[in-house]
Amino acid sequence: MKPRAEFVLTSAIIALVLAIGAFVAMLHQWNVSQWPAGALEALKWAPAAFLAALLGAWGATGWHRRAQARQRRWSAGGMTLRTLLLSYLAFPLLLGAWVAVVSRSDQLWAASPAPVEDSLSWLPLTVLLFTAFAIVLGAVPAFILEYFVSRRYLRRLAAVTTGSA
């Protein structure tokens, strides 16, 4: 796998695992009796985190390529900060879009769908709360894990190899 594809995919998988883990940890903290059902509920919100990390990592690698063309070197910490910045900026937009998709699918396939007005009235609060939870619960673990992914990406780009890694 090419370094860029590996970096983008690994970053997105880390975000997916952290999103599910944070949601499950919140459910465990609140002593929710329906623990397996709550863990499955986390899967409904995780695609927004996955897509935000995918876009953030893809944007950071493009940013890195432009910097490399100008002969500027990046450290792993700097690349991590840029990746997380782009991911956290994209997350509220993608979360809002994802809530809209989930609401629309509820309208199409649910036996007794909720009114569209109810879903739209909760949209800003949902985006705000989930973005705050993502920043508070995910920033430090995401930085730590993303640092190692960024370091591997930069090392793979620096090493000239003809084979696969």
Side-chain angles (χ1 to χ4, degrees), residues 109-129:
W109 295 304
S112 59
V116 176
E117 295 81 22
D118 288 350
S119 298
L120 292 179
S121 67
W122 284 96
L123 182 65
L125 182 62
T126 303
V127 169
L128 179 69
L129 287 177

Side-chain angles (χ1 to χ4, degrees), residues 86-105:
L86 293 173
S87 297
Y88 279 116
L89 287 175
F91 183 68
L93 299 172
L94 291 169
L95 182 62
W98 187 251
V99 168
V101 167
V102 169
S103 296
R104 180 66 181 149
S105 66

Side-chain angles (χ1 to χ4, degrees), residues 4 7-9 11-12 15 48-64 66 74 78-91 94 146 150 153:
R4 185 178 191 185
F7 177 74
V8 170
L9 187 61
S11 296
F50 179 82
L51 292 173
L54 195 75
L55 286 175
W58 183 74
T61 55
W63 195 352
H64 178 254
R66 288 188 299 277
W74 279 12
M79 183 155 193
T80 301
L81 283 174
R82 289 172 179 99
T83 303
L84 292 180
L85 173 73
L86 293 173
S87 297
Y88 279 116
L89 287 175
F91 183 68
L94 291 169
E146 192 67 36
S150 297
Y153 172 73

Side-chain angles (χ1 to χ4, degrees), residues 4-24:
R4 185 178 191 185
E6 178 187 343
F7 177 74
V8 170
L9 187 61
T10 306
S11 296
I13 290 172
I14 286 172
L16 182 68
V17 169
L18 284 176
I20 293 171
F23 198 84
V24 169

